[in-house]
Amino acid sequence: MIDITAEISGVKLETCVFNAAGPKDATLKELEVIAKSASSAITMKSCTLEPRKGNPEPRYCDLPEGSINSSGLPNLGYKEYVRFSSLLKKYHKPVVASVSGLKLADNVKIIKVFNNSEADLIELNLSCPNVPGKPQVCYDFEQSEEVLDAITDVCKKPLGVKLAPYFDFAHFEQMAGILRKRKLAFITCINSIGNALVIDPDKESAVIKPKGGFGGLGGKYVKYTALANVRKFHELLPHVPIIGCGGIYSGKDAFEFILAGATAVQLGTVFIQEGPSCFGRIQKELKDYLKKKGYETLEDFRGKLKTLD
Ligand code: SIN
């Protein structure tokens, strides 16, 4: 019997594979599709204080190996997601609230209300690259400290933080130093790689409309950056569970993330491109791969990546 269950801060996941905040998770109807799929948790769209229409369309484009989006946090406003967290309880899966207030006071207000909700985990999104005029908080280390101090003070649920990718060891260390000092239940690595530009040479045009065509890159293009971020944060913060996200399309991809140190994985672009069957397929592929390798649980190999030195 192959066991691919996972646990984050006492919250049990039937498997380590579930949906990422962002794709197809903004309405109750979309969330019910996730609830009825094999996804082992229901992550809701990142929410803001007020409802948002998001950026002008087209704001998402499939690419040969992934996607680009500049959605701009289209969501129904946090009150709806508090309500949905109760309505989704009947599916008996952990519900993950994703919070992305446009300013610190908004985040504090939203989190205080989620404290009394049915959400099981709260993922604070400090890494959305797509709100015009709003830099990604997690690239500003001083602001990140200020936000995390205020939020860890008020949050009564297991709190995690979703980070953008880092590319420099000094930045990994700086962020890890900040996270080490705060009580965090998990870290999610990574959000899309911000501000990529995809060009259609026939039309001589960008492929998405917002921000002059700049948007977050996802899918297979980002897998190796995501793996590096999971690995580095696992090395620097070995006791903090990491949820890996970015370019997971197969059971073998999920295996690589766990080998790098992830506790669980989230699916984003593949869910948009394949639909809800991706969850069961990737879980089965992961189990089959473990069986082939002679592993029985994720603990048999989690974080045990070999290096060549
Ligand atoms: C978006 O709504 O722009 C995507 C969410 C994110 O990147 O955090």
Side-chain angles (χ1 to χ4, degrees):
M1 181 69 179
I2 310 286
D3 176 2
I4 58 165
T5 57
E7 189 174 325
I8 295 170
S9 202
V11 175
K12 290 190 169 36
L13 301 166
E14 207 166 293
T15 81
C16 61
V17 181
F18 60 104
N19 73 301
K24 295 177 181 286
D25 58 357
T27 66
L28 186 58
K29 203 169 155 200
E30 289 174 327
L31 289 163
E32 287 191 317
V33 170
I34 297 164
K36 290 173 189 165
S37 78
S39 178
S40 289
I42 309 163
T43 309
M44 302 188 290
K45 176 72 187 169
S46 293
C47 63
T48 50
L49 200 59
E50 302 299 336
R52 284 174 61 83
K53 285 200 167 73
N55 294 338
E57 309 260 7
R59 59 194 183 192
Y60 173 87
C61 185
D62 280 323
L63 303 174
E65 303 282 332
S67 65
I68 185 169
N69 93 86
S70 181
S71 305
L73 297 174
N75 77 94
L76 304 172
Y78 79 102
K79 285 184 187 154
E80 281 297 83
Y81 299 99
V82 170
R83 191 170 73 85
F84 295 167
S85 64
S86 313
L87 297 175
L88 292 167
K89 271 290 130 182
K90 65 174 184 241
Y91 295 100
H92 305 294
K93 288 181 180 182
V95 173
V96 185
S98 173
V99 176
S100 195
L102 298 183
K103 53 183 198 286
L104 176 53
D106 293 1
N107 280 326
V108 169
K109 187 165 177 184
I110 295 170
I111 298 252
K112 279 185 176 167
V113 179
F114 269 117
N115 278 342
N116 299 313
S117 75
E118 293 289 338
D120 297 280
L121 298 170
I122 296 183
E123 186 178 83
L124 180 67
N125 180 359
L126 296 183
S127 50
C128 177
N130 302 329
V131 179
K134 259 206 60 65
Q136 287 159 276
V137 174
C138 64
Y139 285 145
D140 178 334
F141 296 108
E142 255 177 53
Q143 201 191 351
S144 296
E145 287 209 80
E146 191 194 338
V147 170
L148 285 170
D149 276 341
I151 299 301
T152 47
D153 245 20
V154 295
C155 190
K156 306 277 182 266
K157 301 257 182 192
L159 173 75
V161 63
K162 183 164 180 178
L163 298 175
Y166 296 97
F167 301 93
D168 188 295
F169 281 7
H171 295 157
F172 284 115
E173 277 161 25
Q174 248 178 302
M175 183 44 87
I178 292 168
L179 300 176
R180 193 177 288 119
K181 287 189 242 149
R182 278 96 192 160
K183 208 174 138 262
L184 285 174
F186 64 97
I187 304 169
T188 304
C189 300
I190 55 171
N191 207 322
S192 57
I193 299 185
N195 297 316
L197 177 63
V198 177
I199 292 174
D200 178 335
D202 293 331
K203 294 184 183 154
E204 301 183 11
S205 162
V207 299
I208 56 170
K209 183 166 179 181
K211 292 178 67 180
F214 287 74
L217 192 66
K220 293 183 185 175
Y221 305 107
V222 312
K223 185 178 107 174
Y224 302 105
T225 300
L227 280 169
N229 275 258
V230 167
R231 183 66 187 166
K232 216 26 165 177
F233 280 111
H234 178 68
E235 286 174 357
L236 293 166
L237 302 167
H239 303 298
V240 183
I242 298 177
I243 302 175
C245 182
I248 298 160
Y249 278 69
S250 70
K252 266 193 204 173
D253 292 331
F255 179 88
E256 289 174 28
F257 275 79
I258 293 156
L259 191 64
T263 293
V265 295
Q266 293 177 340
L267 308 184
T269 300
V270 70
F271 173 39
I272 299 177
Q273 295 177 340
E274 178 181 332
S277 62
C278 66
F279 299 106
R281 177 182 61 77
I282 290 173
Q283 288 159 6
K284 181 177 180 314
E285 287 175 5
L286 177 61
K287 279 189 182 171
D288 290 348
Y289 197 57
L290 262 61
K291 194 169 171 194
K292 199 167 132 198
K293 291 220 160 226
Y295 292 135
E296 289 181 352
T297 75
L298 304 180
E299 294 318 314
D300 293 345
F301 63 96
R302 185 195 315 287
K304 294 185 184 164
L305 176 71
K306 293 177 203 146
T307 56
L308 302 182
D309 40 36

